[in-house]
Amino acid sequence: MKRIALVNQRYGLEVNGGSEYYTRLIAERLTGEFEVDVITTKALEYTTWENHYTADEEEINGVRVLRFPVEKQRAKDFNDFNGKYLMSGDYSVEKEEIWFEKQGPYSPAAINYIRENKDKYDVFIFVTYLYYLTVKGLPEVADKAIFIPTAHEEPFIHFKTYEKFFNLPKAYVFLTDEEKALVQGLFHCEDIPCRVMGTGVEVPCEPDEAGFRSKFGIEGDYIIYVGRIDEGKDCPTMFKYFLEYKKRRPESTLKLVLMGKPVCEIPKHKDIISLGFVSEEDKFSGISGAKCLILPSKFESLSISVLEAMTLSVPVIVNGICEVLKGHCVKSNGGLYYMNYFEFEGIIDYIFSHDAEYAELRKNAEAYVEKNYRWEVIMRNFSDLINKICEE
């Protein structure tokens, strides 16, 4: 049986970040055909990278997880350093060495393991381009590396470090056509084999909307946000828009329900309900009962929460600045996108005043996921790509 390693900065049932959750979904589904290890850190919180897990090795849902210590927490001056570096526009590999170490998770032990155990694995799969483990680990095993960059248009993708880095891997997996176009346009890596295959979506339980409403005391219509509640997801703008809508529509009883760990301030308002981290059952039950799922982020490479909502026939409202999210809406006709407050307001008014069109959005959303994001097709593509690399 071929042995593969997936590399990501965090991993665990308690970790609900985008690339981290995606890594777990893939790892668990590869175990049927391959011997799978995950190489990660002992950190749980990405804001500090403080060592949380104590075991060096554990098994999670059939996957062997190897955890390595973070030697230094995220630098206290990282935000200041990052802001000044981005504003300077004077990018250099030398300065970025400092940037990656300050951002973290700084774990030389993980890189040493990759270097010293290269020959034990047939393929390494690196997920997400931005962090220390990928930047330092992938070059050590580039000749047997599959790279899943989860890239999107943002300042960091233009770092000098990446000009050579993105031409190193043996193969690529892109989550969307938009991501493929971005990466190939920036780095001219068209000669490197690639697949566009996204992620599969499945609901692991029967959603219980009534039970969810009873458990959390939620009545009436609500839109829902699922994920990290932070500035990087443009959540403050979402709050601003929602509060402005409530101000301009005082008769509205619409609520905004939040699921996820708060990393930024949440306004105190009777119709903004923050549930914190919830179980998978509560997550899917909550999404199923929502009028729409909203994702205000400007930077996404796929968005699992959007696809989870669509598979439950729940339309999505997204930030049109993000080409990937806009692409989901345009290709599916199962969601709507806004570029400013008044478009946001128009969308909310529309979904409550056009019942037939809203029903069509629901139907189209589910059909889009069924056609494009089925696990059996995605994992067959993964298997083919892994075996192809092993044969070369």
Side-chain angles (χ1 to χ4, degrees):
M1 182 179 286
K2 296 181 178 68
R3 188 177 184 188
I4 63 175
L6 288 95
V7 183
N8 193 290
Q9 62 276 1
R10 298 186 299 159
Y11 192 94
L13 298 176
E14 309 86 351
V15 179
N16 65 341
S19 78
E20 296 93 335
Y21 181 53
Y22 168 81
T23 301
R24 182 162 67 81
L25 294 177
I26 297 299
E28 291 174 1
R29 285 165 175 80
L30 287 172
T31 56
E33 185 175 353
F34 304 101
E35 185 179 348
V36 180
D37 290 354
V38 168
I39 299 170
T40 189
T41 70
K42 293 186 176 181
L44 175 60
E45 298 294 342
Y46 74 97
T47 53
T48 64
W49 302 122
E50 180 181 358
N51 289 309
H52 169 82
Y53 299 97
T54 56
D56 296 331
E57 180 181 331
E58 62 177 315
E59 184 174 300
I60 301 176
N61 293 343
V63 177
R64 180 175 177 241
V65 181
L66 305 176
R67 298 192 184 278
F68 297 89
V70 177
E71 290 191 7
K72 294 185 289 188
Q73 291 189 31
R74 177 173 287 198
K76 288 186 171 59
D77 68 342
F78 171 71
N79 288 338
D80 183 57
F81 181 87
N82 175 56
K84 290 178 179 177
Y85 184 61
L86 295 179
M87 287 293 290
S88 75
D90 182 22
Y91 292 175
S92 72
V93 173
E94 292 73 24
K95 292 176 183 175
E96 286 160 14
E97 285 279 332
I98 301 171
W99 191 95
F100 286 114
E101 185 171 323
K102 282 181 176 290
Q103 185 202 211
Y106 182 67
S107 181
I111 307 306
N112 288 338
Y113 177 85
I114 292 170
R115 180 186 304 118
E116 294 168 3
N117 293 274
K118 173 181 177 178
D119 295 337
K120 292 183 180 179
Y121 296 93
D122 296 287
V123 173
F124 287 80
I125 302 175
F126 290 84
V127 185
T128 206
Y129 81 97
L130 190 59
Y131 294 101
Y132 181 90
L133 263 62
T134 295
V135 171
K136 294 298 182 182
L138 190 149
E140 298 286 347
V141 293
D143 61 331
K144 55 172 69 176
I146 295 175
F147 187 23
I148 309 176
T150 70
H152 40 264
E153 181 55 63
E154 60 181 343
F156 317 114
I157 196 74
H158 300 284
F159 279 5
K160 294 290 289 187
T161 299
Y162 293 125
E163 291 178 1
K164 292 183 178 178
F165 183 88
F166 270 78
N167 279 279
L168 294 177
K170 191 75 171 178
Y172 273 103
V173 169
F174 297 115
L175 302 182
T176 62
D177 293 322
E178 291 86 354
E179 183 191 11
K180 176 184 175 182
L182 172 67
V183 170
Q184 292 186 342
L186 287 174
F187 304 109
H188 309 293
C189 51
E190 294 89 347
D191 292 340
I192 299 177
C194 70
R195 301 278 181 95
V196 179
M197 54 177 134
T199 182
V201 182
E202 65 182 18
V203 180
C205 59
E206 183 66 33
D208 180 6
E209 178 189 343
F212 171 81
R213 287 180 177 276
S214 174
K215 179 176 181 178
F216 295 104
I218 297 173
E219 299 178 352
D221 290 315
Y222 63 91
I223 57 176
I224 195 165
Y225 171 86
V226 177
R228 293 196 307 268
I229 303 167
D230 67 10
E231 293 183 5
K233 297 292 185 181
D234 214 21
C235 288
T237 301
M238 174 178 66
F239 298 142
K240 178 183 175 182
Y241 283 8
F242 181 76
L243 292 175
E244 181 65 18
Y245 183 82
K246 299 293 290 188
K247 180 180 177 182
R248 290 168 59 87
R249 300 287 187 274
E251 75 285 356
S252 171
T253 59
L254 181 66
K255 297 174 177 62
L256 171 62
V257 174
L258 311 171
M259 289 181 173
K261 183 177 176 61
V263 185
C264 69
E265 184 176 354
I266 300 172
K268 295 188 184 303
H269 189 280
K270 64 182 180 63
D271 289 332
I272 297 179
I273 304 169
S274 180
L275 305 181
F277 184 82
V278 301
S279 68
E280 287 287 281
E281 291 79 7
D282 285 338
K283 180 183 77 170
F284 284 105
S285 296
I287 293 173
S288 71
K291 191 74 174 178
C292 290
L293 177 136
I294 182 168
L295 183 54
S297 176
K298 298 175 183 176
F299 308 116
E300 293 292 327
S301 57
L302 179 66
S303 180
I304 294 174
S305 65
V306 161
L307 299 178
E308 288 175 337
M310 294 175 107
T311 200
L312 291 168
S313 300
V314 175
V316 297
I317 302 171
V318 303
N319 192 330
I321 292 174
C322 177
E323 288 297 324
V324 168
L325 297 180
K326 179 180 176 181
H328 284 317
C329 294
V330 172
K331 287 181 280 190
S332 69
N333 198 22
L336 300 166
Y337 61 90
Y338 60 87
M339 303 292 285
N340 54 51
Y341 168 74
F342 289 104
E343 291 184 359
F344 170 85
E345 178 184 286
I347 288 172
I348 300 297
D349 286 346
Y350 181 86
I351 63 176
F352 282 104
S353 60
H354 291 73
D355 292 345
E357 289 83 356
Y358 175 75
E360 193 70 16
L361 286 173
R362 287 174 55 92
K363 184 175 70 173
N364 292 342
E366 183 178 10
Y368 175 67
V369 175
E370 175 62 25
K371 179 180 178 181
N372 297 284
Y373 296 97
R374 290 185 292 126
W375 272 121
E376 59 266 31
V377 175
I378 289 165
M379 297 316 298
R380 185 163 63 244
N381 281 328
F382 254 110
S383 177
D384 290 346
L385 188 59
I386 291 169
N387 287 319
K388 182 178 180 181
I389 290 176
C390 293
E391 292 165 3
E392 292 181 355

